[in-house]
Amino acid sequence: MEIKNTNSIISSNDIKLIWRIFIKNWYIPIILVTFFYLAAYFYTYKLTNVYQASVELLKVNDNFYKDNLVSDEGYYGVKNSYVDNSNEIRIVKSYDIMKETVMKLKDKVEVSYYLVGRVRTTEQFNGIPFTISVNSINPRLNEKIMNFKIIDYNNYELSYTLNGTEFKKNGKIGEALVDIDFNLTVNREGNFNRNAAKELSKLDYQIIVHDLDGLVHTFQNALQVVNPDYTNVLVLTFEDILPSRAVLILDTLSKVYLNKSLNARFELNERTVSYIDKQLTEVSSSLNNIEDTMQLYKQNNNILDLGWEQDDFFKKLALFDGQKTSLNLKIDAINDLEKYIIEDKDPEFLPPNIYLANDDDFMSKSVNELYKLQIGINEQLSFSKEINPHVQEDREKVKRLKQNILVYLNNTRKATHKIIENIDSEISNYVSHIKNIPPQQRDLLNIQRKVSVNEALYNFLLQRKANIKIGKASIVPEMKVIDSPRNLGVIKPDKNKIQSIFLLIGFALSVVIILIRVLFFTTIQTVEELKEKTFLPIIGDLPFQKGVSNKGFIVEESPSSYISEAFRALRTNLQYVILNSNKKTILVTSNSPGEGKTFTTINIGAIIAKSGKKVVMLELDLHKPRIQKALDMNADIGISTFMVGQNTLEELVKPTQVTNLYAILSGPIPPNPSDLVLSEKLRELMEYVKANFDYVLIDTPPVGMLA
């Protein structure tokens, strides 16, 4: 014995239901998905691709300034292998850097060229047959679309609209077109020859002259600079609808940035050399004066040579004098630096004589920190204003740091003076020991000591200058290109994603439409569907046929039609169902009007009457009777008149054009039909027709609308 599985998730009826839904609605997703695919294709075709170009820069450490007048750390604060590159990012994105880049590319980016097509207009960059050089232009024409048409090899036409007025200007290629609104020149490019001029005259171009300042801001917004974590690499990306232009802008921008960095280091080198030259001049002048004094002294005293009896004293005095001179120079440097800080004349704070304090860690770090703060403020002011909170915060840091440096300089000066006093005391002690040296010898020794001290200082400065000169040849930018500008391809729009979204919308909309059709507009179209919806036995089905509802006896007028055969089959089934019934009464109804109740009643009655049975039709739809209209019969008397006692039952029965088929019409429409059918007269009527006819067919109003 086969046991059916009643716990299965999907039954055969479910499968049949899904199949019927598919059969009825399969064309909806095909139409909608196809429509949305075509819409997506057209939409994405109209979209302009945005490309991204990229270049990578590496911040490197060089040892040019290490152990020199200005240390590597003193200039950029670079000492460790990894540093914070936020300042570099600000510099790269600064207005000045981008403006210089735009000015270098002015001939290529000031004017945009567009080729007008049938569906879309595309911007051209490389391979354009002509270029336009703009000398001057009315600012109101900036960012305005101007139509450009090549007439022939030598002539062109330029048209534009300004303040609602259309202007057309004709010019000659290669010659300046001077007008009240502009001064520009159109030049031919390599592929513009006489043969090509005929083809070019068939094309329509558009041009847009950009405001350079606005172009700078546009390029700044398109530029992105990121510093990957734990690296000294800067990744510059630029978005543009033209990949070649994006690569060109990045290439030029990186060169401008590297040149600015390089020029800053050259400037520092030159300023340091200039200061050393100044010191050398002073020391050289002093040395010449001392040597002249010594020579004059020898001449005046007829001195050819003297023995040095007190070499030990001389060396020590020379040592102390050298220390004293260095300390005095240090005091001068402190005074200069103090004055430099107080006056604050140099916004970049680049003191040239900081080398005199290169053995002082506090001063070196403080001055370097002050320099970095000043550089940071200047960078921020390049793209912001003085009221910027970050600028004000850095200003306060500079103020506090300067105050600390000034206090430290004052203390250092006092300490230096104290050391000089101690050295003077030591010198006095040694001088007292050489009082016994002959006066001439003593004076000569003093002069010689000064010569030695100044020679040592002069040699020191020469050595430092030589180091700086040699180091200048090794100056390189602190940033270098490790990955040259290249096109990364299209980054937006994602056309595949857009098309997928359109297809998904089309599919989702088709599903919604199918659900709405299934829930609100589904009709029972087959007997099998009807069997699934009801537990009542189904004895027949009538096919839908347009235009037959207005006909009366379809079985009489078209006896061979498909619907007539359906009525015959229904008659056979009805006779079988009510074979043993003494009350062969059939009531025909439906949920809504216009669903074929009267048509069915008339034709079932006719097909049964043709089999030799006596049939009567009761027109019990007292609201809107239709049998009388379908059979073109007069309803002057009928059920309503019988109910009120105006006619007898025998008077109600009227024959039709079909033999054995009779009709009892509704009669005049009463004011209260629903109440009238509750009368005992209706029971009397039903008993009469059942007793006198083989079949009784009752045409009723729709049960879904009337009581």
Side-chain angles (χ1 to χ4, degrees), residues 419-681:
I419 295 173
I420 291 175
E421 291 177 3
N422 294 335
I423 291 176
D424 286 339
S425 177
E426 291 294 331
I427 291 175
S428 298
N429 290 334
Y430 279 99
V431 168
S432 65
H433 284 85
I434 60 174
K435 286 182 178 180
N436 296 327
I437 299 175
Q440 292 180 350
Q441 185 179 6
R442 185 172 61 248
D443 293 340
L444 192 60
L445 287 175
N446 289 332
I447 296 173
Q448 185 65 42
R449 184 175 67 248
K450 292 179 181 179
V451 171
S452 299
V453 171
N454 282 276
E455 284 180 347
L457 181 58
Y458 188 82
N459 291 332
F460 168 77
L461 292 174
L462 284 177
Q463 182 183 2
R464 290 301 187 183
K465 181 179 179 180
N467 290 341
I468 295 298
K469 288 285 188 179
I470 295 172
K472 182 178 181 180
S474 63
I475 292 179
V476 293
E478 68 164 351
M479 304 293 291
K480 71 175 184 179
V481 178
I482 60 173
D483 191 359
S484 58
R486 58 191 178 90
N487 177 27
L488 300 181
V490 179
I491 59 167
K492 58 183 179 181
D494 189 344
K495 294 187 177 181
N496 291 331
K497 183 178 180 181
I498 293 174
Q499 290 179 349
S500 300
I501 292 175
F502 269 75
L503 292 177
L504 184 61
I505 292 174
F507 181 76
L509 184 60
S510 64
V511 171
V512 171
I513 293 175
I514 291 173
L515 288 177
I516 293 175
R517 283 169 55 86
V518 170
L519 294 176
F520 301 103
F521 299 99
T522 298
T523 58
I524 299 174
Q525 296 181 345
T526 64
V527 176
E528 288 75 13
E529 294 181 44
L530 183 60
K531 289 180 179 179
E532 294 175 1
K533 300 294 182 181
T534 181
F535 59 88
L536 298 175
I538 298 172
I539 59 175
D541 64 293
L542 300 175
F544 175 77
Q545 185 174 337
K546 290 183 179 180
V548 299
S549 60
N550 296 325
K551 297 182 180 181
F553 296 107
I554 189 67
V555 296
E556 185 74 15
E557 297 176 6
S558 303
S560 301
S561 64
Y562 181 71
I563 191 170
S564 297
E565 290 298 326
F567 274 112
R568 292 187 183 94
L570 180 60
R571 177 190 62 187
T572 303
N573 293 337
L574 280 173
Q575 290 175 345
Y576 177 78
V577 170
I578 58 177
L579 182 63
N580 298 321
S581 174
N582 295 325
K583 300 177 180 180
K584 299 178 181 179
T585 304
I586 302 172
L587 184 144
V588 182
T589 188
S590 70
N591 185 70
S592 303
E595 294 184 343
K597 297 181 294 297
T598 301
F599 175 77
T600 303
T601 302
I602 292 174
N603 284 279
I604 289 178
I607 204 72
I608 295 176
K610 284 180 174 292
S611 65
K613 302 295 183 180
K614 191 177 181 181
V615 182
V616 64
M617 299 181 293
L618 299 183
E619 192 177 33
L620 267 179
D621 187 353
L622 302 182
H623 295 80
K624 290 184 178 181
R626 296 182 181 276
I627 292 179
Q628 53 189 275
K629 293 180 181 180
L631 301 182
D632 194 20
M633 300 177 67
N634 186 12
D636 54 343
I637 62 172
I639 296 175
S640 60
T641 58
F642 169 73
M643 294 290 187
V644 296
Q646 293 182 2
N647 298 100
T648 63
L649 292 173
E650 290 77 7
E651 295 174 341
L652 301 181
V653 180
K654 294 183 177 182
T656 66
Q657 64 188 60
V658 178
T659 305
N660 295 326
L661 179 62
Y662 301 87
I664 298 179
L665 304 179
S666 64
I669 299 176
N672 56 343
S674 297
D675 297 332
L676 200 62
V677 296
L678 298 177
S679 171
E680 287 294 328
K681 286 282 189 176

Side-chain angles (χ1 to χ4, degrees), residues 269-278 465 468-469:
N269 183 283
E270 292 296 335
R271 295 178 67 171
T272 305
V273 170
S274 297
Y275 182 78
I276 292 176
D277 287 338
K278 179 182 176 182
K465 181 179 179 180
I468 295 298
K469 288 285 188 179

Side-chain angles (χ1 to χ4, degrees), residues 50-57 85-86 88-94 98 216-228 233-240 246 249-250 253-254 488 491-492:
V50 177
Y51 298 84
Q52 186 180 73
S54 171
V55 63
E56 293 187 8
L57 305 178
N85 291 302
S86 56
E88 299 299 330
I89 294 176
R90 287 179 177 269
I91 294 173
V92 174
K93 296 191 68 176
S94 66
M98 187 58 74
V216 171
H217 291 292
T218 300
F219 288 173
Q220 279 185 301
N221 294 331
L223 176 66
Q224 296 295 328
V225 184
V226 296
N227 177 206
V233 175
L234 295 182
V235 179
L236 283 63
T237 57
F238 191 87
E239 296 180 2
D240 198 347
I249 291 173
L250 275 186
L253 176 67
S254 59
L488 300 181
I491 59 167
K492 58 183 179 181

Side-chain angles (χ1 to χ4, degrees), residues 362-375:
F362 175 80
M363 281 300 301
S364 179
K365 292 180 180 178
S366 298
V367 172
N368 289 334
E369 184 179 356
L370 183 57
Y371 173 73
K372 290 198 304 184
L373 286 173
Q374 291 283 56
I375 288 295

